[in-house]
Amino acid sequence: MTFTHPPRETLKSTESASHFIGELSPDGIASFRKDIFAVAEGTNGTTISRADSNGQPTAEVTRERNESDSSTTRSSSESEEDYDALKIDPSTIVEGGRGGGLEREGALAAPSRRKSSTGVANGTTSRWEALKPGRLDTSRHINQRRKSIQIKLEKTGQKGRYLLTADDPELREILRLGMEREASASSDQKKRHSRFSDLVFTRQFTAFDRQNPMSSESPFHGFFTLFWLGTALLLLKVAAQNWKSYGSVFGSNEIVKLMFHRDVLVLGLTDGVMCASTAFCLLLQNAIFKGYLSWNKEGWILQNIWQTFYLAATIGWTLYREWPWTHTIFIVLHCLVMLMKQHSYGFYNGYLSEVYKRRKILESKLSQLKDFEPVATPSATSPAADSVSSSWLDVHSADDVTHRRRSLNTRSSPQLHRQQNEVAEVATAIEAHRPLDNDQIQSFKRIITWEIEMLTEELNGKCSDSANYYPRNLDLKNFSEYIVLPTCVYELEYPRQEHIKWSYVIEKTAATFGVLGVMIVISQAYIYPVVVQTVRMKEAGMPLRERLEEFPWLLVDLLFPFMMEYLLVWYVIWECILNVLAELTRFADRGFYADWWNSVSWDQYARDWNRPVHNFLLRHVYHSSISAFHLTRSSATLVTFLLSACVHELIMWCLFKKLRGYLMAMQMLQLPLVSLSRTKLLKGRDVIGNLVFWIGLFTGPSLMCTLYLVI
């Protein structure tokens, strides 16, 4: 059983949470202790705190089956992430980062922290010290186990809900502070959310990075060592076979010859031109800011036309040059990354341009209002002072999220005359110079000022440096930094490191080339012969029926090599290359992936294995389709999967020059598998779910490649 705080009727975040673990005895008495290894993660449990009749803090606890940390049993029913509810997790913040709004977010100074006589916040030093690289001393925590806390759970009228009472002063203090935070949160006016749901960038490391203390202290670290030891022994075996057959440890080496025999310089120049041409988006946004264009009219159309031309020109160039698959796959994948970056930059800044224009209009209305002479009370002008409220600014927890997102479209638009809300009514009354009494003038000033403050906060984002506020961010320096950062989602500011660790850059660069070498060896030894065999079968005129008879044997030959290549491709990109880029750019958020190997459903895998692309799809496809096209969540999910499947099929077409739809069909097949994982057959059975996931991942790549080669 797990007790989680802070309390909330619908728990959206567990920032600054305290975790307890223990056992419940038949008589209702439970012994709890702090779980010092618990990481604050989202949970589906519910905890409601209150005070008992004596004024002592108590808590009503909901018990849930199979509740554990997210690294092992993340719920298979989670179909999306709600960025409206995300907050900075203190466990992901490591000393040395700055920017990205960490200073403004207040994540480093939770309300429950009280300074001791030494000037250091209680409960803060140990958390930070433990998260510094190389300073996680698990033995110290284990030896200092907290004594059991005697509590009593009394049954309530609802099944699975108990009233928790404890005499422990520390637990009472936690509950009291939680209730104070809850009361403070409910009394403060909730801020309006952005149309572009905020991403939370924090200072963190990837799972296999040696700087990650959780990785170095993992009980499975030895398996990581074993994997690379086995890989080294495999290389020795292949080298010995090549020496025996060809007189060289490199063998015939056709793949390396294919990579470097022509157009290497042209490939590099093409990549440079492709990156430089992204500056079109910067020019477009500056033209929109200066008033030459409007984003909501021709701006977004020009952006989409440019993106279509950009993709078509890149693919057309690969066809014109008749590049081998090595050149083609590199340039097409990089083109798609640049395409996502441009889309995010263009649409986010385009949205901010409309917010900026709306603020300017309201500032002019506020200036006009200062010149008004009040008339006798009450005025006949509508709206009346007593009818003007700020309820439209509130975002209640019970509100429908989809409806809230849709309403944000008009509240960021500068076209006030087309809107039906209190700000529009106030602006219309001021524009028409209608007579206003003193109460109306004061109410109108208040509501316009509130709106201007909200818009200003939107334009400032989470920046800790005013130089990054919109429109100051529309310069070449900001754009150039964003283009090389290892993220596909644009933000005004990101958390950054103070210095570059050049030894780390050398280490990851060496790992990159080393893993690429391993991939080439495996491809040459185990995949290339199968490909050559299928090509010779077709060149010899072998009928399709006979080729299909060879299909199972070809599939078996490719199973293990493709699984190995799949793991190595993922490792070299998301662990090596992205970490090199992050270190060179001082980008502090290394959350490029989550523990996708523990996935119990395909939607969880889609979220975790490629976080940069997932973040892009979630913000600019899923959420945007809901807000712009008024789609339901299920329809938005279908659109997101379909777009992703089409892009993957495009990559296969560029690689094989065949449009077969095998990969697209396999990816869309994940949707019914996701639905199956939420049925009684698989829901809650994480081992079976993970087994189904690995069987699919093990057979999928080799099956798909065999289909493209044989048919």
Side-chain angles (χ1 to χ4, degrees), residues 101-172:
L102 295 183
E103 297 84 352
R104 301 179 67 239
E105 191 71 16
L108 306 183
S112 62
R113 294 176 181 150
R114 298 168 301 175
K115 288 190 176 180
S116 63
S117 59
T118 61
V120 180
N122 293 333
T124 303
T125 303
S126 61
R127 182 75 164 180
W128 273 68
E129 291 295 325
L131 286 170
K132 290 181 180 179
R135 294 196 183 184
L136 183 64
D137 187 0
T138 55
S139 61
R140 176 172 58 86
H141 291 297
I142 293 174
N143 293 333
Q144 297 179 1
R145 292 178 61 181
R146 173 77 158 79
K147 293 183 178 180
S148 297
I149 302 173
Q150 294 297 324
I151 68 170
K152 186 174 182 179
L153 293 181
E154 300 177 4
K155 291 185 178 181
T156 63
Q158 294 180 330
K159 183 179 180 181
R161 300 176 71 87
Y162 299 82
L163 189 66
L164 182 150
T165 308
D167 292 330
D168 184 78
E170 184 177 355
L171 180 58
R172 284 183 173 178

Side-chain angles (χ1 to χ4, degrees), residues 21 110 142 144 151 218 261 269 289 324 416 435 594 705:
I21 57 176
I142 293 174
Q144 297 179 1
I151 68 170
S218 170
H261 88 286
L269 292 174
F289 166 68
L416 296 173
C705 183

Side-chain angles (χ1 to χ4, degrees), residues 615-634:
N615 291 339
F616 173 85
L617 292 174
L618 191 60
R619 173 191 272 190
H620 293 289
V621 180
Y622 178 83
H623 285 314
S624 294
S625 61
I626 292 176
S627 62
F629 301 107
H630 301 175
L631 297 182
T632 62
R633 291 186 174 188
S634 57

